[in-house]
Amino acid sequence: MNSEVSRTPTGLHALHPLTKLTLMLLALVAAAAMPTTLAVLAVFLGLLLPLAAWGRCLGAFLRTCLRVMTPFFISLVLIQGFFTPGPTALLRLGPFRYTLEGLLVALLFSSRLLVGLGAATLLMMVTRPDALMRALVARGLPNQIAYIVVTALQIVPTFQARAHSILDAQRSRGLETEGRLIVRLRAFAPLVGPLILSSLMEIEERAIALEARAFNRAGRRTSLISLRDTRGQALLRRVLLLAGLALVAARLMLWRAA
Amino acid sequence: MITVSGLRYRYPETARPALDGIDLSIEAGELVGVVGANGAGKSTLCYALTGYIPHFFGGTMEGEVQVGGHDVRRTPVSDLAADVGLVFHNPFNQISGARYTVLEEVAFGLENLGVEPGAMRERSMHALRATGLDGLAERSPFTLSGGEQQRLAIAAVMAMQPRVLVLDEPTSQLDPAGTRAAFEVLRGLARSRETTIVLTEHKLGWLAAFVDRLLVLHAGRLVADGLPRRVLAEAVDQPWGVGATQFTRAVQAARQRRLVAEGTILPVTLDQALEVLR
């Protein structure tokens, strides 16, 4: 998905990865600092949605947010509503009271979660993980950590493909893998064992291959991909960081006053 | 370029040495094949020449291995990588997983060596063209076939332009056309760049046609070393488990039935067989 998106560069895609990261971090800080649901939703509507539209991925962004948020939202509304004490009961179910105060807390938490998940989703949609990691390595992040993050993201589809192959192999030997829950659970062990063992065996060869490519060599590294940065963006990042700090300070002052 | 003297190596927690008293000298620009039955020590020799033994695998090592002027015992593998390249038989596990396109994958090693981006792109594209992968430069490495991934593994190490290239069964997943192309690339490297190449293989016909010299390992010992035809003809009567090409077998059978002269030197390639039968 990322490489497809990056082939149609727009203003947001063309931004330096650190600028995009700073924008998303500011959204997170703003969501945590805003005291009301409406203010938090304003961050989503006023910052993330326009950015997604700028990145030409508004539809996909909204669909992902909806799909990921729905289970969290339902759980929060149910749990907070029934377990947050308050004087205003909206509903009574036997000994249980569903309170207005609980509903309001659920809405505030949900809106913050929406901004957090939304910021992470949008960042992934408009930034190649390896580009972001290259930018962070250039700022001092250890190369090994960057490698782990990028490979973890890339390796998931191949891990799934291998799981399917193992499952097919087990099926061809007569293992039942579909039907009742107990049947599926029984099929789990013959899948997980070979999957984990084959992955462990792979680690040694991968380590050898990395060494052969001078991965642990000390000294200067270069990059095939040049990450375009401008003075304007560097200034923007500083302004965004200051704005984030100001929001945190304002939140602390509000908290003290209360 | 490569000097091995008195090399004896035992993997951790094993009783029998995997390599037992290897003495060997290889000149710059030589293309040397290594054959032997499974477990003969071929892969272990590859790891010893590239420094993974003893640095990576541990175990007990005696003797000396000098490659490209480096004593492999005293040089970290990551430093050796600039001068000594390794390609092994499983191509999937040689994909770094850290890059999104075939071109970037080839450039990964060059990035670690600190090569400038312009030269990096040029060297990567040259390696891709040489291995016939230039049309796939923008594809994800994970979407390539096994044979394409094997060519990618060769390209990735080739782009680093090591002075010594060690390949452990590099054509195991290649079809005949891919195998020929790979051997031609390797011979070209040995001739034009004076890259010293050591490769293990089971495909005797290809080895006989392309390598300058053939080594036979048997139970960790170097039991034969010489011109491919002479070594493979000798191997027919030995318990080394090397096998023989169909041309060798055919002329051997003809010799036993006195269809060709008793002292006929066994051929290993089609051309040699035709020459004998003529």
Side-chain angles (χ1 to χ4, degrees):
Chain A
M1 179 176 66
N2 296 310
S3 54
E4 291 301 319
V5 171
S6 65
R7 283 195 192 108
T8 51
T10 65
L12 184 60
H13 290 282
L15 286 184
H16 190 274
L18 288 184
T19 308
K20 288 182 264 189
L21 180 66
T22 317
L23 274 166
M24 303 312 162
L25 285 176
L26 179 71
L28 280 176
V29 171
M34 296 298 172
T36 66
T37 304
L38 281 179
V40 178
L41 285 177
V43 175
F44 186 79
L45 297 171
L47 181 62
L48 294 184
L49 284 192
L51 284 176
W54 192 27
R56 293 189 183 173
C57 55
L58 184 59
F61 172 66
L62 284 173
R63 278 193 297 279
T64 308
C65 285
L66 189 69
R67 202 168 52 232
V68 176
M69 268 308 295
T70 304
F72 285 113
F73 179 71
I74 293 170
S75 313
L76 280 168
V77 165
L78 286 175
I79 292 167
Q80 292 294 338
F82 279 112
F83 291 98
T84 304
T88 323
L90 295 175
L91 186 71
R92 283 175 196 278
L93 281 175
F96 299 106
R97 295 168 71 244
Y98 190 93
T99 64
L100 175 64
E101 291 73 20
L103 177 63
L104 293 175
V105 169
L107 290 176
L108 181 61
F109 283 4
S110 297
S111 59
R112 283 182 176 151
L113 200 57
L114 175 66
V115 172
L117 286 170
T121 303
L122 186 55
L123 183 65
M124 293 295 291
M125 288 176 113
V126 297
T127 314
R128 275 178 40 160
D130 62 328
L132 178 60
M133 288 302 134
R134 282 172 204 257
L136 289 172
V137 167
R139 296 291 192 286
L141 181 78
N143 200 31
Q144 286 81 356
I145 292 178
Y147 176 79
I148 289 167
V149 173
V150 177
T151 43
L153 290 169
Q154 277 230 87
I155 218 83
V156 170
T158 55
F159 210 62
Q160 284 172 331
R162 180 179 302 160
H164 281 294
S165 304
I166 293 170
L167 212 54
D168 287 343
Q170 305 291 35
R171 271 198 211 111
S172 71
R173 293 180 189 133
L175 183 80
E176 281 187 61
T177 57
E178 281 164 14
R180 288 177 298 131
L181 183 66
I182 190 77
V183 175
R184 285 166 188 259
L185 282 175
R186 259 193 231 129
F188 197 62
L191 167 69
V192 169
L195 191 62
I196 291 174
L197 281 176
S198 62
S199 302
L200 288 175
M201 284 160 68
E202 230 181 67
I203 288 172
E204 184 176 87
E205 284 201 341
R206 271 195 195 281
I208 291 173
L210 283 179
E211 289 288 335
R213 314 275 287 282
F215 181 69
N216 284 316
R217 178 180 166 273
R220 191 175 80 100
R221 283 168 209 278
T222 47
S223 175
L224 182 71
I225 295 174
S226 58
L227 300 171
R228 261 191 313 141
D229 202 4
T230 59
R231 282 186 182 180
Q233 285 193 57
L235 182 65
L236 175 65
R237 288 198 292 272
R238 287 199 187 97
V239 170
L240 292 171
L241 282 174
L242 285 175
L245 288 173
L247 281 168
V248 172
R251 179 70 182 136
L252 286 174
M253 283 164 66
L254 271 177
W255 181 60
R256 269 194 173 178
Chain B
M1 184 57 71
I2 298 175
T3 313
V4 179
S5 45
L7 175 61
R8 190 180 156 86
Y9 174 74
R10 199 159 45 78
Y11 283 103
E13 294 168 34
T14 55
R16 196 176 67 85
L19 293 176
D20 195 0
I22 305 283
D23 290 295
L24 180 64
S25 178
I26 298 173
E27 299 300 318
E30 265 194 292
L31 174 51
V32 179
V34 182
V35 294
N38 291 334
K42 301 187 298 294
S43 297
T44 308
L45 180 63
C46 289
Y47 291 138
L49 295 179
T50 45
Y52 293 92
I53 286 173
H55 295 295
F56 191 84
F57 288 98
T60 316
M61 178 179 168
E62 292 167 30
E64 217 175 88
V65 179
Q66 293 273 347
V67 180
H70 302 282
D71 179 344
V72 299
R73 268 214 255 219
R74 298 206 176 97
T75 315
V77 176
S78 281
D79 290 348
L80 266 179
D83 277 337
V84 186
L86 172 69
V87 176
F88 49 90
H89 64 278
N90 186 342
F92 180 78
N93 289 347
Q94 288 171 86
I95 296 173
S96 73
R99 297 295 179 258
Y100 283 73
T101 68
V102 166
L103 175 64
E104 290 166 18
E105 178 64 27
V106 172
F108 179 70
L110 301 177
E111 292 179 327
N112 293 328
L113 292 178
V115 174
E116 292 306 322
M120 191 188 303
R121 186 170 289 275
E122 198 177 299
R123 279 164 65 168
S124 303
M125 281 310 298
H126 178 264
L128 287 177
R129 273 193 296 274
T131 50
L133 289 175
D134 46 326
L136 305 174
E138 292 304 315
R139 284 261 299 272
S140 162
F142 289 106
T143 63
L144 302 183
S145 69
E148 288 164 345
Q149 286 183 347
Q150 200 145 38
R151 281 189 278 156
L152 173 60
I154 295 172
V157 173
M158 212 179 115
M160 294 170 77
Q161 296 180 353
R163 287 193 291 156
V164 176
L165 186 52
V166 179
L167 305 103
D168 189 8
E169 294 182 39
T171 66
S172 58
Q173 295 194 25
L174 296 183
D175 57 21
T179 302
R180 173 178 287 282
F183 270 99
E184 278 171 356
V185 165
L186 295 176
R187 188 163 62 182
L189 276 178
R191 298 285 178 270
S192 62
R193 287 192 172 279
E194 290 234 317
T195 307
T196 308
I197 299 174
V198 178
L199 82 151
T200 74
E201 260 301 344
H202 287 292
K203 296 175 179 172
L204 301 181
W206 293 106
L207 282 174
F210 280 91
V211 301
D212 302 318
R213 183 176 156 194
L214 197 62
L215 313 178
V216 180
L217 286 178
H218 177 61
R221 290 173 179 274
L222 182 61
V223 291
D225 176 356
L227 292 172
R229 184 174 183 181
R230 191 183 64 73
V231 168
L232 287 176
E234 186 188 349
V236 170
D237 300 320
Q238 299 293 336
W240 299 335
V242 170
T245 67
Q246 55 189 327
F247 310 114
T248 311
R249 293 252 182 256
V251 175
Q252 188 190 26
R255 196 171 66 178
Q256 282 166 353
R257 289 170 200 176
R258 299 177 190 276
L259 298 173
V260 294
E262 183 67 25
T264 304
I265 299 172
L266 293 174
V268 285
T269 63
L270 175 62
D271 288 343
Q272 290 165 2
L274 288 173
E275 193 184 304
V276 167
L277 294 173
R278 197 181 294 134

